[in-house]
Amino acid sequence: MTEQQPAIRLSGLTKEFGAVTAVDHVDLEIAAGEFFSMLGPSGSGKTTVLRLIAGFEQPTSGTIELFGHDVTKKAPFDRDVNTVFQDYALFPHMSVLDNVAYGLRVRGVKRAERRARAIKALEAVRLEQMASRKPSQLSGGQRQRVALARATVVQPKVLLLDEPLGALDLKLREQMQVELKQIQRDLGITFIFVTHDQQEALTLSDRIAVFHDGRIEQLGTPWELYEQPASRFVADFVGTSNLFDHDRSAALIGRSGEHSIRPEKLSIRSEAATGPGEHSAPGTVVESIYVGHGIRRVIDLDAGMRVTVLERNDRSRVSDDDRGDRVHVTWHDSDVVSLIPPGT
């Protein structure tokens, strides 16, 4: 085994359920120690890929390798992976310590050793003081950390996480995102994270695969996916974009093809742009929405297109005091992204 050996290699992976192709010839390599996310809407194939890696489903065709070993036909318990589910699946009658130690008990680890390892795993998630409690006595975030400790105490080479933060409220989810990334760095284990929340994926991941209709639409770093979306689907799904079809691209941007501009890349001025590389289009403000960190303005351009502009909240003003104002929406050439469909 070399350092370049990927933790996971998927080759031509396909899964069919009757007439439905849930996963369509996916090729993918995930590096050892990487925090990798599979992002996409419901039905895009991301969760099925996770289940195939875990061994809960068998592929229709293709292979799955774990650190260079073919595990395609192996049962889940014969793969050096572990899974954390959204509902955490903790045993309600067991203490936190016994929950964490359960996997070691199944593997025949002696009591003293499994207790010591379970306590160490709880220390890693800062819950050692909760060892004697039952899951019902914990908060949602604490149960999530117990599930992580139980999954990592057996020292799997790969940890699979199936939307583990989905049941938490927004503030707790944001806190757990920070903790999850820190735990992954401390442990050095490959994390494969499934989510439909694009902000979550951007926050946590080293790389992200965006799934659409059973295929990977784009694979890249969070920066690449947000700043350089490769298709209309990615531009629209990962964050918010103003999308220009062929006709509007030609009329407003002066380019052929489809393009996108992020709302924060647009600005509003009282006069047409005059700087080098700048362009603008006149329009009318139809709505201003206060969103805390900024103000989202919806503008109907005279050219017949509605765009959204996100401005920093760096001044005090009433959220609807500029509706009906005539403005110029301005952008720079460098902020226009060409959307090239995959395979073209």
Side-chain angles (χ1 to χ4, degrees):
M1 185 189 303
T2 67
E3 292 182 358
Q4 289 74 36
Q5 182 71 59
I8 295 289
R9 179 184 284 122
L10 310 179
S11 302
L13 196 65
T14 299
K15 179 62 178 179
E16 297 173 352
F17 295 98
V20 177
T21 301
V23 179
D24 192 0
H25 293 89
V26 168
D27 296 310
L28 177 64
E29 290 189 0
I30 300 172
E34 187 173 22
F35 198 122
F36 188 91
S37 289
M38 295 191 288
L39 172 68
S42 297
S44 61
K46 61 188 188 300
T47 299
T48 303
V49 170
L50 191 82
R51 291 179 61 82
L52 288 166
I53 294 172
F56 300 143
E57 301 282 355
Q58 285 295 306
T60 304
S61 62
T63 58
I64 302 165
E65 293 181 18
L66 175 63
F67 287 94
H69 299 287
D70 190 337
V71 297
T72 309
K73 297 181 184 288
K74 288 190 175 182
F77 51 81
D78 284 331
R79 305 184 187 202
D80 203 355
V81 302
N82 218 334
T83 306
V84 178
F85 299 99
Q86 182 174 337
D87 61 3
Y88 311 144
L90 300 177
F91 298 113
H93 63 286
M94 289 185 181
S95 68
V96 165
L97 184 65
D98 288 341
N99 263 285
V100 174
Y102 182 77
L104 298 173
R105 178 182 171 187
V106 170
R107 287 164 173 77
V109 176
K110 292 183 178 180
R111 181 169 182 169
E113 182 183 349
R114 68 175 184 253
R115 178 181 174 83
R117 287 173 60 177
I119 290 175
K120 186 175 181 180
L122 285 171
E123 288 173 349
V125 296
R126 296 178 296 283
L127 280 180
E128 65 274 15
Q129 72 279 11
M130 304 286 186
S132 62
R133 295 192 183 184
K134 297 291 178 63
S136 61
Q137 297 173 298
L138 304 180
S139 68
Q142 289 168 336
R143 288 195 295 273
Q144 198 263 2
R145 281 185 278 166
V146 172
L148 276 173
R150 185 180 64 179
T152 56
V153 73
V154 296
Q155 300 176 340
K157 290 183 177 179
V158 177
L159 187 63
L160 309 175
L161 301 107
D162 185 10
E163 305 210 39
L165 309 183
L168 305 180
D169 62 60
L170 179 60
K171 188 171 184 178
L172 184 55
R173 283 175 70 181
E174 291 175 345
Q175 293 172 351
M176 287 307 305
Q177 287 169 11
V178 175
E179 293 196 20
L180 193 61
K181 184 64 177 176
Q182 185 175 346
I183 290 168
Q184 190 267 339
R185 284 189 179 132
D186 291 344
L187 295 174
I189 296 173
T190 303
F191 275 29
I192 303 178
F193 188 87
V194 163
T195 182
H196 65 274
D197 186 321
Q198 49 88 16
Q199 192 60 50
E200 196 164 80
L202 292 174
T203 300
L204 291 169
S205 311
D206 297 317
R207 286 191 306 151
I208 304 168
V210 180
F211 279 76
H212 181 48
D213 289 340
R215 297 185 177 185
I216 296 176
E217 187 87 359
Q218 187 174 352
L219 173 65
T221 65
W223 186 91
E224 289 168 339
L225 293 180
Y226 190 83
E227 300 290 346
Q228 300 174 343
S231 70
R232 187 181 184 94
F233 175 83
V234 176
D236 196 34
F237 187 76
V238 180
T240 303
S241 285
N242 295 292
L243 301 173
F244 298 79
D245 61 18
H246 294 271
D247 293 339
R248 285 167 176 157
S249 290
L252 288 166
I253 302 175
R255 302 185 191 179
S256 61
E258 293 187 314
H259 298 81
S260 72
I261 307 177
R262 297 292 186 184
E264 67 274 15
K265 305 291 187 181
L266 297 174
S267 62
I268 296 174
R269 301 181 186 174
S270 57
E271 298 180 353
T274 57
E278 289 185 333
H279 304 273
S280 65
T284 303
V285 178
V286 295
E287 193 62 77
S288 289
I289 304 168
Y290 176 76
V291 292
H293 65 280
I295 300 174
R296 184 180 298 125
R297 290 191 166 83
V298 181
I299 299 167
D300 281 345
L301 301 179
D302 293 355
M305 179 179 178
R306 175 168 289 188
V307 297
T308 299
V309 180
L310 181 62
E311 294 185 304
R312 288 180 56 194
N313 184 16
D314 57 2
R315 61 186 183 277
S316 177
R317 59 187 296 173
V318 180
S319 63
D320 62 352
D321 67 352
D322 56 358
R323 284 186 293 181
D325 284 2
R326 294 288 296 167
V327 297
H328 285 82
V329 176
T330 302
W331 64 91
H332 195 278
D333 279 333
S334 60
D335 294 324
V336 178
V337 177
S338 176
L339 302 178
I340 305 172
T344 61

